[in-house]
Amino acid sequence: MARPILYDYARSSAAYRIRIALNLKGVDYEQRLVNLLEGEQQGDDYRSVNPQGLVPALEIDGQRLTQSLAIISYLDSRFPMPPLLSTSIVDRAHVTGMALAIACDIHPLNNLRVLRYLTGTLGIDEAAKNAWYAHWITDGFAALEALAAPRAGDFLLDNSPSMADVILVPQMYNARRFNVPLDAFPTLVRTDANACAIEAFANAHPDRQSQGA
Protein backbone atom coordinates (compact mmCIF):
# COMPACT_ATOMS: atom_id res chain seq x y z
CA MET A 1 0.00 0.00 0.00
CA ALA A 2 1.28 3.45 -0.89
CA ARG A 3 1.67 5.77 2.06
CA PRO A 4 -1.65 7.56 2.67
CA ILE A 5 -1.71 11.35 2.40
CA LEU A 6 -3.66 13.35 4.97
CA TYR A 7 -4.56 16.92 4.08
CA ASP A 8 -4.34 18.38 7.52
CA TYR A 9 -4.39 21.42 9.75
CA ALA A 10 -3.22 21.02 13.34
CA ARG A 11 -6.16 22.69 15.10
CA SER A 12 -8.88 21.38 12.81
CA SER A 13 -11.10 19.16 14.94
CA ALA A 14 -12.04 16.99 12.00
CA ALA A 15 -8.42 16.49 10.94
CA TYR A 16 -7.43 15.81 14.56
CA ARG A 17 -9.94 12.94 14.55
CA ILE A 18 -8.27 11.34 11.54
CA ARG A 19 -4.80 11.67 13.04
CA ILE A 20 -6.08 9.78 16.10
CA ALA A 21 -7.74 7.08 14.00
CA LEU A 22 -4.67 6.57 11.80
CA ASN A 23 -2.46 6.38 14.89
CA LEU A 24 -4.75 3.86 16.58
CA LYS A 25 -4.68 1.71 13.46
CA GLY A 26 -0.90 1.97 13.23
CA VAL A 27 -1.03 3.45 9.73
CA ASP A 28 1.97 5.54 8.70
CA TYR A 29 0.92 8.55 6.65
CA GLU A 30 2.16 11.76 5.06
CA GLN A 31 0.79 15.09 6.26
CA ARG A 32 0.14 17.94 3.84
CA LEU A 33 -0.66 21.23 5.50
CA VAL A 34 -3.71 23.19 4.39
CA ASN A 35 -3.44 26.48 6.26
CA LEU A 36 -7.00 27.38 7.19
CA LEU A 37 -6.06 30.76 8.66
CA GLU A 38 -4.52 31.79 5.35
CA GLY A 39 -7.49 30.49 3.35
CA GLU A 40 -5.62 27.77 1.47
CA GLN A 41 -8.68 25.53 1.74
CA GLN A 42 -10.53 27.87 -0.62
CA GLY A 43 -7.87 27.84 -3.34
CA ASP A 44 -8.33 26.02 -6.62
CA ASP A 45 -5.50 23.59 -5.82
CA TYR A 46 -7.16 22.31 -2.68
CA ARG A 47 -10.68 22.52 -4.10
CA SER A 48 -9.52 20.01 -6.70
CA VAL A 49 -8.79 17.66 -3.78
CA ASN A 50 -11.93 18.42 -1.76
CA PRO A 51 -14.60 20.48 -3.53
CA GLN A 52 -16.08 21.42 -0.14
CA GLY A 53 -12.93 23.32 0.76
CA LEU A 54 -12.73 21.56 4.13
CA VAL A 55 -10.14 19.45 5.89
CA PRO A 56 -9.46 16.64 6.24
CA ALA A 57 -9.14 14.75 3.00
CA LEU A 58 -7.35 11.42 2.89
CA GLU A 59 -5.76 9.83 -0.16
CA ILE A 60 -5.58 6.09 0.44
CA ASP A 61 -5.78 2.95 -1.70
CA GLY A 62 -6.03 5.09 -4.82
CA GLN A 63 -9.10 6.85 -3.42
CA ARG A 64 -9.64 10.38 -2.19
CA LEU A 65 -11.92 10.40 0.87
CA THR A 66 -13.61 13.32 2.65
CA GLN A 67 -15.71 13.83 5.80
CA SER A 68 -14.10 12.59 8.98
CA LEU A 69 -16.73 10.06 10.05
CA ALA A 70 -16.78 8.51 6.58
CA ILE A 71 -12.98 8.29 6.67
CA ILE A 72 -13.01 6.67 10.13
CA SER A 73 -15.59 4.13 8.95
CA TYR A 74 -13.38 3.32 5.95
CA LEU A 75 -10.29 2.96 8.13
CA ASP A 76 -12.17 0.69 10.52
CA SER A 77 -13.14 -1.61 7.67
CA ARG A 78 -9.73 -1.44 5.99
CA PHE A 79 -7.74 -1.95 9.20
CA PRO A 80 -10.01 -3.91 11.55
CA MET A 81 -7.77 -3.86 14.63
CA PRO A 82 -8.29 -2.30 17.02
CA PRO A 83 -11.99 -1.92 16.21
CA LEU A 84 -13.56 1.52 16.58
CA LEU A 85 -17.06 0.33 15.73
CA SER A 86 -18.52 -2.76 17.39
CA THR A 87 -19.90 -5.73 15.50
CA SER A 88 -22.91 -5.52 17.84
CA ILE A 89 -25.58 -3.57 15.99
CA VAL A 90 -26.81 -2.01 19.24
CA ASP A 91 -23.34 -0.91 20.35
CA ARG A 92 -22.50 0.30 16.86
CA ALA A 93 -25.63 2.47 16.81
CA HIS A 94 -24.87 3.82 20.30
CA VAL A 95 -21.30 4.75 19.41
CA THR A 96 -22.35 6.29 16.11
CA GLY A 97 -25.07 8.30 17.85
CA MET A 98 -22.59 9.74 20.35
CA ALA A 99 -20.12 10.55 17.59
CA LEU A 100 -22.81 12.29 15.54
CA ALA A 101 -23.95 14.29 18.58
CA ILE A 102 -20.56 16.01 18.42
CA ALA A 103 -19.78 15.92 14.73
CA CYS A 104 -23.20 17.07 13.55
CA ASP A 105 -24.74 18.99 16.45
CA ILE A 106 -21.83 20.77 18.17
CA HIS A 107 -18.88 21.11 15.82
CA PRO A 108 -20.58 22.59 12.73
CA LEU A 109 -21.96 25.51 14.75
CA ASN A 110 -18.51 26.39 16.09
CA ASN A 111 -16.09 25.77 13.26
CA LEU A 112 -13.88 28.46 11.75
CA ARG A 113 -16.10 29.46 8.84
CA VAL A 114 -19.11 29.94 11.13
CA LEU A 115 -17.13 31.98 13.66
CA ARG A 116 -15.72 34.14 10.87
CA TYR A 117 -19.21 34.74 9.52
CA LEU A 118 -20.41 35.75 12.97
CA THR A 119 -17.61 38.25 13.54
CA GLY A 120 -17.11 39.39 9.96
CA THR A 121 -20.45 39.46 8.16
CA LEU A 122 -22.71 39.80 11.19
CA GLY A 123 -20.29 41.97 13.14
CA ILE A 124 -20.65 40.42 16.57
CA ASP A 125 -17.90 41.17 19.05
CA GLU A 126 -15.43 38.74 20.63
CA ALA A 127 -17.43 38.32 23.85
CA ALA A 128 -20.60 37.45 21.93
CA LYS A 129 -18.69 35.01 19.72
CA ASN A 130 -17.27 33.26 22.77
CA ALA A 131 -20.72 33.11 24.36
CA TRP A 132 -22.07 31.51 21.19
CA TYR A 133 -19.24 28.96 21.24
CA ALA A 134 -19.74 28.10 24.91
CA HIS A 135 -23.51 27.79 24.54
CA TRP A 136 -23.38 25.11 21.86
CA ILE A 137 -20.65 23.11 23.57
CA THR A 138 -22.44 23.23 26.92
CA ASP A 139 -25.79 22.31 25.38
CA GLY A 140 -24.29 19.45 23.37
CA PHE A 141 -22.09 18.12 26.15
CA ALA A 142 -25.04 18.03 28.55
CA ALA A 143 -26.89 15.73 26.18
CA LEU A 144 -23.79 13.64 25.48
CA GLU A 145 -23.07 13.23 29.19
CA ALA A 146 -26.59 11.83 29.66
CA LEU A 147 -26.22 9.52 26.67
CA ALA A 148 -22.81 8.23 27.68
CA ALA A 149 -22.94 7.90 31.46
CA PRO A 150 -25.11 4.75 31.75
CA ARG A 151 -22.76 2.63 29.60
CA ALA A 152 -19.42 4.34 30.01
CA GLY A 153 -16.43 2.67 31.59
CA ASP A 154 -12.93 3.92 31.01
CA PHE A 155 -14.27 5.21 27.69
CA LEU A 156 -17.61 6.38 26.33
CA LEU A 157 -18.65 2.78 25.75
CA ASP A 158 -17.19 0.26 28.17
CA ASN A 159 -13.40 0.03 28.45
CA SER A 160 -11.98 0.35 24.94
CA PRO A 161 -11.71 3.46 22.75
CA SER A 162 -14.34 3.74 20.06
CA MET A 163 -15.15 6.18 17.29
CA ALA A 164 -17.06 8.22 19.89
CA ASP A 165 -13.86 8.80 21.89
CA VAL A 166 -11.98 9.70 18.71
CA ILE A 167 -14.58 12.42 18.07
CA LEU A 168 -14.79 13.54 21.71
CA VAL A 169 -11.13 14.31 22.34
CA PRO A 170 -10.78 17.10 19.74
CA GLN A 171 -14.01 18.69 20.96
CA MET A 172 -12.74 18.66 24.54
CA TYR A 173 -9.56 20.34 23.31
CA ASN A 174 -11.68 23.04 21.69
CA ALA A 175 -13.78 23.51 24.82
CA ARG A 176 -10.67 24.14 26.87
CA ARG A 177 -9.26 26.54 24.29
CA PHE A 178 -12.37 28.66 24.74
CA ASN A 179 -12.43 28.25 28.52
CA VAL A 180 -15.76 26.43 28.60
CA PRO A 181 -16.43 25.03 32.12
CA LEU A 182 -16.48 21.23 32.11
CA ASP A 183 -17.26 20.34 35.73
CA ALA A 184 -20.82 19.33 34.84
CA PHE A 185 -19.56 16.58 32.53
CA PRO A 186 -17.59 14.11 34.68
CA THR A 187 -18.02 11.19 32.27
CA LEU A 188 -16.65 13.21 29.38
CA VAL A 189 -13.76 14.59 31.42
CA ARG A 190 -12.81 11.12 32.68
CA THR A 191 -12.94 9.44 29.30
CA ASP A 192 -11.04 12.29 27.67
CA ALA A 193 -8.26 11.94 30.25
CA ASN A 194 -8.11 8.18 29.73
CA ALA A 195 -7.93 8.60 25.96
CA CYS A 196 -5.25 11.27 26.08
CA ALA A 197 -3.06 8.95 28.16
CA ILE A 198 -2.87 6.64 25.11
CA GLU A 199 0.05 7.37 22.79
CA ALA A 200 -2.09 7.30 19.65
CA PHE A 201 -4.29 10.09 21.02
CA ALA A 202 -1.42 12.06 22.57
CA ASN A 203 0.62 12.07 19.36
CA ALA A 204 -2.33 13.45 17.41
CA HIS A 205 -2.60 16.53 19.66
CA PRO A 206 -2.30 19.84 17.78
CA ASP A 207 0.75 20.87 19.82
CA ARG A 208 2.63 17.81 18.59
CA GLN A 209 2.15 18.49 14.89
CA SER A 210 5.13 19.69 12.88
CA GLN A 211 3.08 22.42 11.22
CA GLY A 212 2.15 23.83 14.63
CA ALA A 213 -1.25 24.69 16.06
Coordinates of all heavy atoms in Angstrom, one line a residue, residues 27-104:
V27 N -1.3 3.1 11.1 CA -1.0 3.4 9.7 C -0.1 4.6 9.6 O -0.4 5.7 10.1 CB -2.4 3.8 9.0 CG1 -2.1 4.1 7.6 CG2 -3.3 2.6 9.1
D28 N 1.0 4.4 9.0 CA 2.0 5.5 8.7 C 1.4 6.4 7.6 O 0.9 5.8 6.6 CB 3.3 5.0 8.3 CG 4.4 6.1 8.1 OD1 4.4 7.0 8.8 OD2 5.1 5.9 7.1
Y29 N 1.5 7.7 7.7 CA 0.9 8.6 6.7 C 1.7 9.8 6.5 O 2.5 10.2 7.4 CB -0.5 8.9 7.0 CG -0.7 9.7 8.3 CD1 -0.8 11.1 8.3 CD2 -0.7 9.0 9.5 CE1 -0.9 11.8 9.5 CE2 -0.9 9.7 10.7 CZ -1.0 11.1 10.7 OH -1.1 11.8 11.9
E30 N 1.5 10.5 5.4 CA 2.2 11.8 5.1 C 1.2 12.9 5.3 O 0.0 12.8 5.0 CB 2.6 11.8 3.6 CG 3.1 13.1 3.1 CD 3.4 13.2 1.6 OE1 3.4 12.1 1.0 OE2 3.5 14.3 1.1
Q31 N 1.6 13.9 6.0 CA 0.8 15.1 6.3 C 1.1 16.2 5.2 O 2.2 16.5 5.0 CB 1.1 15.7 7.7 CG 0.5 14.8 8.8 CD 0.9 15.4 10.1 OE1 2.1 15.3 10.5 NE2 -0.1 15.9 10.9
R32 N 0.0 16.8 4.7 CA 0.1 17.9 3.8 C -0.7 19.1 4.5 O -1.9 18.9 4.6 CB -0.3 17.6 2.4 CG 0.6 16.7 1.7 CD 0.4 16.6 0.2 NE 1.2 15.6 -0.4 CZ 1.1 15.2 -1.6 NH1 0.2 15.7 -2.4 NH2 2.0 14.2 -2.1
L33 N 0.0 20.1 4.8 CA -0.7 21.2 5.5 C -1.6 22.0 4.6 O -1.2 22.4 3.5 CB 0.4 22.2 6.1 CG -0.1 23.5 6.7 CD1 -1.0 23.3 7.9 CD2 1.1 24.4 7.0
V34 N -2.8 22.3 5.0 CA -3.7 23.2 4.4 C -4.0 24.3 5.4 O -4.7 24.0 6.4 CB -5.0 22.5 4.0 CG1 -6.0 23.5 3.3 CG2 -4.7 21.3 3.1
N35 N -3.4 25.4 5.2 CA -3.4 26.5 6.3 C -4.8 27.2 6.2 O -5.1 28.0 5.3 CB -2.3 27.5 6.1 CG -2.1 28.4 7.3 OD1 -3.1 28.9 7.9 ND2 -0.9 28.6 7.7
L36 N -5.6 26.8 7.2 CA -7.0 27.4 7.2 C -7.0 28.9 7.5 O -7.8 29.6 6.9 CB -7.8 26.7 8.2 CG -8.0 25.1 8.1 CD1 -9.0 24.6 9.1 CD2 -8.3 24.7 6.7
L37 N -6.1 29.3 8.3 CA -6.1 30.8 8.7 C -5.7 31.6 7.5 O -6.1 32.8 7.4 CB -5.1 31.0 9.8 CG -5.5 30.3 11.1 CD1 -4.5 30.7 12.2 CD2 -6.9 30.7 11.6
E38 N -4.9 31.1 6.5 CA -4.5 31.8 5.3 C -5.4 31.5 4.2 O -5.2 32.0 3.1 CB -3.1 31.4 5.0 CG -2.1 31.9 6.0 CD -0.6 31.6 5.7 OE1 -0.4 31.1 4.6 OE2 0.3 31.9 6.5
G39 N -6.5 30.7 4.4 CA -7.5 30.5 3.3 C -7.1 29.5 2.3 O -7.7 29.5 1.2
E40 N -6.1 28.7 2.5 CA -5.6 27.8 1.5 C -6.7 26.8 1.1 O -6.7 26.2 0.0 CB -4.4 27.1 1.9 CG -3.1 27.9 2.0 CD -1.9 27.2 2.4 OE1 -1.9 26.0 2.8 OE2 -0.8 27.9 2.5
Q41 N -7.6 26.5 2.0 CA -8.7 25.5 1.7 C -9.6 26.0 0.7 O -10.4 25.2 0.1 CB -9.4 25.2 3.0 CG -10.3 26.3 3.6 CD -9.6 27.3 4.4 OE1 -8.4 27.5 4.3 NE2 -10.3 28.1 5.2
Q42 N -9.6 27.3 0.4 CA -10.5 27.9 -0.6 C -9.9 28.0 -2.0 O -10.5 28.3 -3.0 CB -11.0 29.3 -0.2 CG -11.8 29.3 1.1 CD -13.0 28.4 1.2 OE1 -13.6 28.2 0.1 NE2 -13.4 27.9 2.3
G43 N -8.6 27.7 -2.1 CA -7.9 27.8 -3.3 C -8.2 26.7 -4.3 O -8.7 25.6 -3.9
D44 N -8.0 27.0 -5.6 CA -8.3 26.0 -6.6 C -7.6 24.7 -6.4 O -8.1 23.6 -6.7 CB -8.0 26.6 -8.0 CG -9.0 27.7 -8.4 OD1 -10.1 27.8 -7.8 OD2 -8.7 28.5 -9.3
D45 N -6.3 24.8 -6.0 CA -5.5 23.6 -5.8 C -6.1 22.6 -4.8 O -6.3 21.4 -5.1 CB -4.1 23.9 -5.4 CG -3.2 24.5 -6.5 OD1 -3.7 24.5 -7.6 OD2 -2.2 25.1 -6.2
Y46 N -6.6 23.2 -3.7 CA -7.2 22.3 -2.7 C -8.6 22.0 -3.0 O -9.0 20.8 -2.8 CB -7.1 22.9 -1.3 CG -7.6 21.9 -0.3 CD1 -6.9 20.7 0.0 CD2 -8.8 22.1 0.4 CE1 -7.4 19.8 0.8 CE2 -9.3 21.1 1.3 CZ -8.6 20.0 1.5 OH -9.0 19.0 2.4
R47 N -9.3 22.9 -3.7 CA -10.7 22.5 -4.1 C -10.7 21.4 -5.1 O -11.7 20.6 -5.2 CB -11.3 23.7 -4.7 CG -11.7 24.8 -3.8 CD -13.1 24.6 -3.1 NE -13.5 25.7 -2.4 CZ -14.7 25.8 -1.8 NH1 -15.5 24.8 -1.9 NH2 -15.1 26.8 -1.1
S48 N -9.6 21.2 -5.8 CA -9.5 20.0 -6.7 C -9.4 18.7 -5.9 O -9.7 17.6 -6.4 CB -8.3 20.2 -7.7 OG -7.1 20.1 -7.0
V49 N -8.9 18.8 -4.7 CA -8.8 17.7 -3.8 C -10.1 17.4 -3.1 O -10.6 16.3 -3.0 CB -7.7 17.9 -2.8 CG1 -7.6 16.7 -1.7 CG2 -6.3 18.0 -3.5
N50 N -10.7 18.5 -2.5 CA -11.9 18.4 -1.8 C -12.8 19.6 -2.2 O -12.6 20.7 -1.7 CB -11.7 18.4 -0.2 CG -13.0 18.3 0.5 OD1 -14.1 18.3 -0.1 ND2 -12.9 18.2 1.8
P51 N -13.8 19.4 -3.0 CA -14.6 20.5 -3.5 C -15.3 21.3 -2.4 O -15.7 22.4 -2.7 CB -15.6 19.8 -4.5 CG -14.9 18.5 -4.9 CD -14.1 18.1 -3.7
Q52 N -15.5 20.7 -1.2 CA -16.1 21.4 -0.1 C -15.2 22.5 0.4 O -15.6 23.4 1.2 CB -16.5 20.5 1.0 CG -17.7 19.6 0.7 CD -18.2 18.9 1.9 OE1 -17.5 17.9 2.3 NE2 -19.2 19.3 2.5
G53 N -13.9 22.4 0.2 CA -12.9 23.3 0.8 C -12.8 23.1 2.3 O -12.6 24.1 3.0
L54 N -12.8 21.9 2.7 CA -12.7 21.6 4.1 C -11.6 20.5 4.3 O -11.3 19.8 3.4 CB -14.0 21.0 4.7 CG -15.3 21.9 4.5 CD1 -16.5 21.1 4.9 CD2 -15.2 23.1 5.4
V55 N -11.0 20.5 5.5 CA -10.1 19.5 5.9 C -10.9 18.6 6.9 O -11.7 19.1 7.6 CB -8.8 20.0 6.5 CG1 -8.0 20.7 5.4 CG2 -9.0 20.8 7.7
P56 N -10.5 17.3 7.0 CA -9.5 16.6 6.2 C -9.9 16.1 4.9 O -11.1 16.0 4.6 CB -9.1 15.5 7.2 CG -10.5 15.1 7.7 CD -11.2 16.4 7.9
A57 N -8.9 15.7 4.1 CA -9.1 14.8 3.0 C -8.0 13.7 3.1 O -6.9 14.0 3.6 CB -9.1 15.5 1.7
L58 N -8.3 12.5 2.8 CA -7.4 11.4 2.9 C -7.3 10.7 1.6 O -8.3 10.2 1.0 CB -7.8 10.4 4.0 CG -6.8 9.3 4.2 CD1 -5.5 9.8 4.9 CD2 -7.4 8.2 5.1
E59 N -6.0 10.6 1.0 CA -5.8 9.8 -0.2 C -5.2 8.5 0.3 O -4.2 8.4 1.0 CB -4.7 10.5 -1.1 CG -5.3 11.8 -1.7 CD -4.3 12.4 -2.7 OE1 -3.2 11.9 -2.8 OE2 -4.7 13.5 -3.3
I60 N -5.9 7.4 0.0 CA -5.6 6.1 0.4 C -6.1 5.1 -0.5 O -7.3 5.2 -1.0 CB -6.1 5.8 1.9 CG1 -5.6 4.5 2.4 CG2 -7.6 6.0 1.9 CD1 -5.9 4.3 3.9
D61 N -5.3 4.0 -0.8 CA -5.8 3.0 -1.7 C -6.3 3.5 -3.0 O -7.2 2.9 -3.6 CB -6.9 2.1 -1.0 CG -6.4 1.4 0.2 OD1 -5.2 1.1 0.3 OD2 -7.3 1.2 1.1
G62 N -5.6 4.5 -3.5 CA -6.0 5.1 -4.8 C -7.3 5.9 -4.8 O -7.8 6.3 -5.8
Q63 N -7.9 6.1 -3.6 CA -9.1 6.9 -3.4 C -8.8 8.2 -2.7 O -7.9 8.3 -2.0 CB -10.1 6.0 -2.6 CG -10.4 4.7 -3.2 CD -11.0 4.7 -4.6 OE1 -11.9 5.5 -4.8 NE2 -10.5 3.8 -5.4
R64 N -9.7 9.1 -2.9 CA -9.6 10.4 -2.2 C -10.9 10.5 -1.4 O -12.0 10.6 -1.9 CB -9.5 11.5 -3.2 CG -9.2 12.9 -2.6 CD -8.9 13.9 -3.7 NE -7.5 13.7 -4.2 CZ -7.1 14.2 -5.3 NH1 -7.9 14.9 -6.1 NH2 -5.8 14.1 -5.7
L65 N -10.8 10.4 0.0 CA -11.9 10.4 0.9 C -12.1 11.7 1.6 O -11.1 12.4 1.9 CB -11.8 9.3 1.9 CG -11.4 7.9 1.3 CD1 -11.3 6.9 2.5 CD2 -12.5 7.4 0.4
T66 N -13.3 12.1 1.9 CA -13.6 13.3 2.6 C -14.6 13.0 3.7 O -15.2 11.9 3.8 CB -14.2 14.4 1.7 OG1 -15.5 14.0 1.2 CG2 -13.3 14.8 0.6
Q67 N -14.8 13.9 4.7 CA -15.7 13.8 5.8 C -15.1 12.8 6.8 O -15.0 11.6 6.6 CB -17.1 13.5 5.4 CG -17.9 14.6 4.7 CD -18.2 15.8 5.6 OE1 -18.2 15.6 6.8 NE2 -18.4 16.9 4.9
S68 N -14.9 13.4 8.0 CA -14.1 12.6 9.0 C -14.8 11.3 9.4 O -14.1 10.3 9.6 CB -13.8 13.5 10.2 OG -15.0 13.9 10.9
L69 N -16.1 11.3 9.6 CA -16.7 10.1 10.0 C -16.7 9.0 9.0 O -16.6 7.8 9.2 CB -18.2 10.3 10.5 CG -18.3 10.6 12.0 CD1 -17.6 11.9 12.4 CD2 -19.7 10.6 12.5
A70 N -16.9 9.4 7.7 CA -16.8 8.5 6.6 C -15.4 7.9 6.5 O -15.2 6.7 6.2 CB -17.2 9.2 5.3
I71 N -14.4 8.8 6.7 CA -13.0 8.3 6.7 C -12.7 7.3 7.8 O -12.1 6.2 7.6 CB -12.0 9.5 6.8 CG1 -12.1 10.4 5.5 CG2 -10.6 9.0 6.9 CD1 -11.3 11.7 5.6
I72 N -13.2 7.6 9.0 CA -13.0 6.7 10.1 C -13.7 5.3 9.9 O -13.1 4.3 10.1 CB -13.5 7.3 11.4 CG1 -12.6 8.5 11.8 CG2 -13.5 6.3 12.6 CD1 -13.2 9.3 13.0
S73 N -14.9 5.4 9.3 CA -15.6 4.1 8.9 C -14.8 3.3 7.9 O -14.7 2.1 8.1 CB -17.0 4.5 8.4 OG -17.7 3.3 8.0
Y74 N -14.2 4.0 6.9 CA -13.4 3.3 6.0 C -12.2 2.7 6.6 O -11.8 1.5 6.4 CB -12.9 4.3 4.9 CG -12.1 3.7 3.8 CD1 -12.6 3.2 2.6 CD2 -10.7 3.7 3.9 CE1 -11.8 2.6 1.7 CE2 -9.9 3.1 3.0 CZ -10.4 2.6 1.8 OH -9.7 2.0 0.9
L75 N -11.5 3.5 7.5 CA -10.3 3.0 8.1 C -10.6 1.8 9.0 O -9.8 0.8 9.1 CB -9.6 4.1 9.0 CG -9.0 5.2 8.2 CD1 -8.6 6.3 9.1 CD2 -7.8 4.7 7.3
D76 N -11.8 1.8 9.6 CA -12.2 0.7 10.5 C -12.4 -0.6 9.7 O -12.2 -1.7 10.2 CB -13.4 1.1 11.4 CG -13.4 0.3 12.7 OD1 -12.4 0.3 13.4 OD2 -14.5 -0.2 13.0
S77 N -12.9 -0.4 8.5 CA -13.1 -1.6 7.7 C -11.8 -2.1 7.1 O -11.6 -3.3 6.9 CB -14.1 -1.3 6.6 OG -15.4 -1.0 7.1
R78 N -11.0 -1.1 6.7 CA -9.7 -1.4 6.0 C -8.7 -2.0 7.0 O -7.9 -2.9 6.6 CB -9.2 -0.2 5.3 CG -7.9 -0.3 4.6 CD -8.0 -1.1 3.4 NE -6.8 -1.1 2.6 CZ -5.6 -1.8 2.9 NH1 -5.6 -2.6 3.9 NH2 -4.6 -1.6 2.1
F79 N -8.7 -1.5 8.2 CA -7.7 -1.9 9.2 C -8.5 -2.3 10.4 O -8.8 -1.5 11.3 CB -6.7 -0.8 9.5 CG -6.0 -0.3 8.3 CD1 -6.5 0.9 7.8 CD2 -5.0 -0.9 7.7 CE1 -5.8 1.5 6.6 CE2 -4.3 -0.4 6.6 CZ -4.8 0.8 6.1
P80 N -9.0 -3.6 10.5 CA -10.0 -3.9 11.5 C -9.6 -3.8 13.0 O -10.4 -3.7 13.9 CB -10.4 -5.4 11.2 CG -10.0 -5.5 9.8 CD -8.8 -4.7 9.6
M81 N -8.2 -3.9 13.2 CA -7.8 -3.9 14.6 C -7.0 -2.6 14.9 O -6.1 -2.2 14.1 CB -6.9 -5.1 14.9 CG -7.7 -6.4 14.7 SD -9.2 -6.6 15.7 CE -8.4 -6.7 17.3
P82 N -7.2 -2.0 16.1 CA -8.3 -2.3 17.0 C -9.6 -1.7 16.5 O -9.6 -0.7 15.8 CB -7.9 -1.6 18.3 CG -7.1 -0.4 17.8 CD -6.3 -0.9 16.6
P83 N -10.7 -2.4 16.7 CA -12.0 -1.9 16.2 C -12.5 -0.6 16.9 O -12.3 -0.5 18.1 CB -12.9 -3.1 16.5 CG -12.3 -3.8 17.7 CD -10.8 -3.6 17.5
L84 N -13.0 0.3 16.1 CA -13.6 1.5 16.6 C -15.1 1.5 16.5 O -15.7 2.3 17.1 CB -13.0 2.7 15.8 CG -11.5 2.9 15.9 CD1 -11.1 4.1 15.0 CD2 -11.1 3.2 17.3
L85 N -15.6 0.5 15.8 CA -17.1 0.3 15.7 C -17.4 -1.1 16.0 O -16.8 -2.0 15.4 CB -17.6 0.7 14.4 CG -17.6 2.2 14.1 CD1 -17.8 2.5 12.6 CD2 -18.8 2.9 14.9
S86 N -18.2 -1.4 17.0 CA -18.5 -2.8 17.4 C -19.3 -3.5 16.3 O -20.0 -3.0 15.5 CB -19.4 -2.7 18.7 OG -19.8 -4.0 19.0
T87 N -19.1 -4.9 16.4 CA -19.9 -5.7 15.5 C -21.3 -5.9 16.0 O -22.2 -6.3 15.3 CB -19.3 -7.1 15.4 OG1 -19.1 -7.7 16.7 CG2 -17.9 -7.1 14.7
S88 N -21.6 -5.5 17.3 CA -22.9 -5.5 17.8 C -23.7 -4.4 17.2 O -23.2 -3.2 17.3 CB -22.9 -5.4 19.4 OG -24.1 -4.9 19.9
I89 N -24.8 -4.6 16.7 CA -25.6 -3.6 16.0 C -26.1 -2.5 17.0 O -26.2 -1.3 16.7 CB -26.7 -4.1 15.1 CG1 -27.7 -4.9 16.0 CG2 -26.2 -4.9 14.0 CD1 -29.0 -5.3 15.2
V90 N -26.4 -3.0 18.2 CA -26.8 -2.0 19.2 C -25.7 -1.1 19.7 O -25.8 0.1 19.7 CB -27.4 -2.8 20.5 CG1 -27.7 -1.8 21.6 CG2 -28.7 -3.5 20.1
D91 N -24.5 -1.7 19.9 CA -23.3 -0.9 20.4 C -22.9 0.0 19.2 O -22.5 1.1 19.5 CB -22.2 -1.8 20.8 CG -22.5 -2.5 22.1 OD1 -23.5 -2.2 22.8 OD2 -21.7 -3.4 22.5
R92 N -22.9 -0.5 18.0 CA -22.5 0.3 16.9 C -23.4 1.5 16.7 O -22.9 2.7 16.5 CB -22.6 -0.5 15.6 CG -22.0 0.1 14.4 CD -22.1 -0.8 13.1 NE -21.4 -0.3 12.0 CZ -20.2 -0.7 11.6 NH1 -19.5 -1.5 12.3 NH2 -19.6 -0.1 10.6
A93 N -24.7 1.3 16.9 CA -25.6 2.5 16.8 C -25.4 3.5 18.0 O -25.5 4.7 17.8 CB -27.1 2.0 16.8
H94 N -25.1 2.9 19.1 CA -24.9 3.8 20.3 C -23.6 4.7 20.1 O -23.6 5.9 20.3 CB -24.7 3.0 21.6 CG -24.5 3.7 22.8 ND1 -25.4 4.7 23.2 CD2 -23.5 3.6 23.8 CE1 -24.9 5.2 24.4 NE2 -23.8 4.6 24.7
V95 N -22.5 4.0 19.7 CA -21.3 4.7 19.4 C -21.5 5.8 18.3 O -21.0 6.9 18.4 CB -20.2 3.8 19.1 CG1 -19.0 4.5 18.4 CG2 -19.7 3.0 20.3
T96 N -22.1 5.4 17.2 CA -22.4 6.3 16.1 C -23.2 7.5 16.5 O -22.9 8.6 16.2 CB -23.0 5.6 14.9 OG1 -22.2 4.5 14.5 CG2 -23.2 6.5 13.7
G97 N -24.2 7.2 17.3 CA -25.1 8.3 17.8 C -24.3 9.3 18.7 O -24.5 10.5 18.5
M98 N -23.4 8.8 19.6 CA -22.6 9.7 20.3 C -21.6 10.5 19.5 O -21.4 11.7 19.7 CB -21.8 9.0 21.4 CG -22.7 8.4 22.5 SD -21.8 7.7 23.9 CE -21.1 6.2 23.2
A99 N -21.0 9.9 18.5 CA -20.1 10.6 17.6 C -20.8 11.6 16.8 O -20.3 12.8 16.6 CB -19.5 9.5 16.6
L100 N -22.0 11.3 16.3 CA -22.8 12.3 15.5 C -23.3 13.5 16.4 O -23.4 14.6 15.9 CB -24.0 11.6 14.9 CG -23.6 10.6 13.7 CD1 -24.9 9.9 13.3 CD2 -23.0 11.4 12.6
A101 N -23.5 13.2 17.7 CA -23.9 14.3 18.6 C -22.9 15.4 18.6 O -23.2 16.6 18.8 CB -24.2 13.7 20.0
I102 N -21.6 15.0 18.5 CA -20.6 16.0 18.4 C -20.4 16.5 17.0 O -20.4 17.7 16.7 CB -19.2 15.4 19.0 CG1 -19.4 15.0 20.4 CG2 -18.1 16.4 18.8 CD1 -18.2 14.2 20.9
A103 N -20.2 15.6 16.1 CA -19.8 15.9 14.7 C -20.8 16.7 14.0 O -20.5 17.5 13.1 CB -19.4 14.7 14.0
C104 N -22.1 16.4 14.3 CA -23.2 17.1 13.6 C -23.9 18.2 14.3 O -24.4 19.1 13.7 CB -24.2 16.0 13.1 SG -23.6 14.8 11.9

